[in-house]
Amino acid sequence: MTIRVMLVDDQVLLRTGFRMVLAAQPDMDVVAEAGNGVEALEALRSTAVDVVLMDVRMPKLDGVEATRRICADTDPPKVLILTTFDLDEYAFSGLKAGASGFMLKDVPPGELLAAIRAVHSGDAVVAPSTTRRLLDRFAPMLPSAGKQPAHKELERLTEREREVMVLVAQGLSNGEIAARLVLSEATVKTHVGRILTKLGLRDRVQVVVLAYETGLVRAGGHG
């Protein structure tokens, strides 16, 4: 199955470089390009796309707002934010807007390709621990940071699912959560799947963001 990719960046040279890397892959096809968020939204109206590589700092409409609008659609493509700095507010805002991960622009080609494949298959490509460092830094910007859990959907979780959600938000892998709670890894995977379904989230990154947003986990990573 070919992964249909759209490149969104205002630097033509950068898009050309990414296109050359992707074009050499038998399972990838660059189906659209855009120089800003407005062009990206227009292209998506007429082109089927699986994964969007989204720059953040662009004229007319930046990548964060474009990501927000894309992810608000029904059955949207996955979005990978491209950023210059590992811990910057754009990456943070992009994750909150619905991106499935972020990559540094100078990422080695192999890592970029692995990230596109991972996102396409439904995985998040930012380690929850990296997301947590981002959120620890920018948590004061969250309107509900530090308050009691306010997201009504959280009430639908069982006590065990809440427990698993907190550990996901603290950056633990399924294996680490299994060891902590004395469960099988398959059981943890089932719990994570139920959490995503009940809360209408797309991946583990969004679990981490929501846990911070609702106060389930506070800056510093403690539930």
Side-chain angles (χ1 to χ4, degrees), residues 7-22 33-35 55 82 105 112:
L7 305 175
V8 186
D9 197 298
D10 60 340
Q11 295 179 49
V12 178
L13 200 60
L14 204 67
R15 290 206 312 266
T16 303
F18 281 137
R19 187 171 64 245
M20 288 172 66
V21 170
L22 301 186
E33 291 187 36
D55 185 25
L82 294 171
K105 281 193 174 183
L112 176 69

Side-chain angles (χ1 to χ4, degrees), residues 122-141:
D123 290 334
V125 299
V126 189
S129 55
T130 306
T131 308
R132 223 186 79 209
R133 283 191 296 126
L134 254 186
L135 287 165
D136 279 350
R137 178 167 172 178
F138 294 106
M141 294 165 56

Side-chain angles (χ1 to χ4, degrees), residues 1-5 21-29 50-53 78 80 100 103 108-125:
M1 183 179 173
T2 302
I3 303 170
R4 298 164 297 189
V5 181
V21 170
L22 301 186
Q25 303 304 306
D27 61 339
M28 292 185 195
D29 188 13
D50 298 311
V51 178
V52 179
L53 289 186
K78 302 293 175 67
L80 256 180
S100 293
M103 301 293 293
E111 285 185 31
L112 176 69
L113 297 170
I116 292 170
R117 292 185 181 106
V119 163
H120 182 248
S121 70
D123 290 334
V125 299

Side-chain angles (χ1 to χ4, degrees), residues 5-165:
V5 181
M6 176 162 75
L7 305 175
V8 186
D9 197 298
D10 60 340
Q11 295 179 49
V12 178
L13 200 60
L14 204 67
R15 290 206 312 266
T16 303
F18 281 137
R19 187 171 64 245
M20 288 172 66
V21 170
L22 301 186
Q25 303 304 306
D27 61 339
M28 292 185 195
D29 188 13
V30 177
V31 295
E33 291 187 36
N36 58 59
V38 173
E39 289 178 11
L41 293 171
E42 285 173 1
L44 283 173
R45 290 194 191 102
S46 57
T47 310
V49 174
D50 298 311
V51 178
V52 179
L53 289 186
M54 180 75 76
D55 185 25
V56 281
R57 305 178 200 203
M58 297 180 293
K60 295 187 181 177
L61 188 68
D62 67 42
V64 173
E65 182 56 31
T67 298
R68 189 174 291 112
R69 295 187 195 181
I70 289 169
C71 293
D73 280 349
T74 50
D75 197 24
K78 302 293 175 67
V79 178
L80 256 180
I81 293 282
L82 294 171
T83 180
T84 314
F85 305 105
D86 186 7
L87 287 181
D88 77 354
E89 62 186 286
Y90 292 98
F92 167 76
S93 301
L95 294 175
K96 268 191 62 62
S100 293
F102 67 91
M103 301 293 293
L104 295 179
K105 281 193 174 183
D106 59 357
V107 64
E111 285 185 31
L112 176 69
L113 297 170
I116 292 170
R117 292 185 181 106
V119 163
H120 182 248
S121 70
D123 290 334
V125 299
V126 189
S129 55
T130 306
T131 308
R132 223 186 79 209
R133 283 191 296 126
L134 254 186
L135 287 165
D136 279 350
R137 178 167 172 178
F138 294 106
M141 294 165 56
L142 291 169
S144 53
K147 293 183 182 176
Q148 289 303 305
H151 196 279
K152 290 194 89 174
E153 299 300 311
L154 289 182
E155 295 168 11
R156 298 174 58 191
L157 299 181
T158 64
E159 193 59 43
R160 177 63 93 191
E161 286 164 355
R162 253 174 116 95
E163 216 174 346
V164 170
M165 183 173 175

Side-chain angles (χ1 to χ4, degrees), residues 176-195:
E176 290 166 337
I177 294 170
R180 179 81 62 92
L181 299 180
V182 197
L183 299 169
S184 73
E185 203 164 329
T187 301
V188 172
K189 196 171 181 181
T190 300
H191 282 312
V192 172
R194 285 188 186 140
I195 292 165

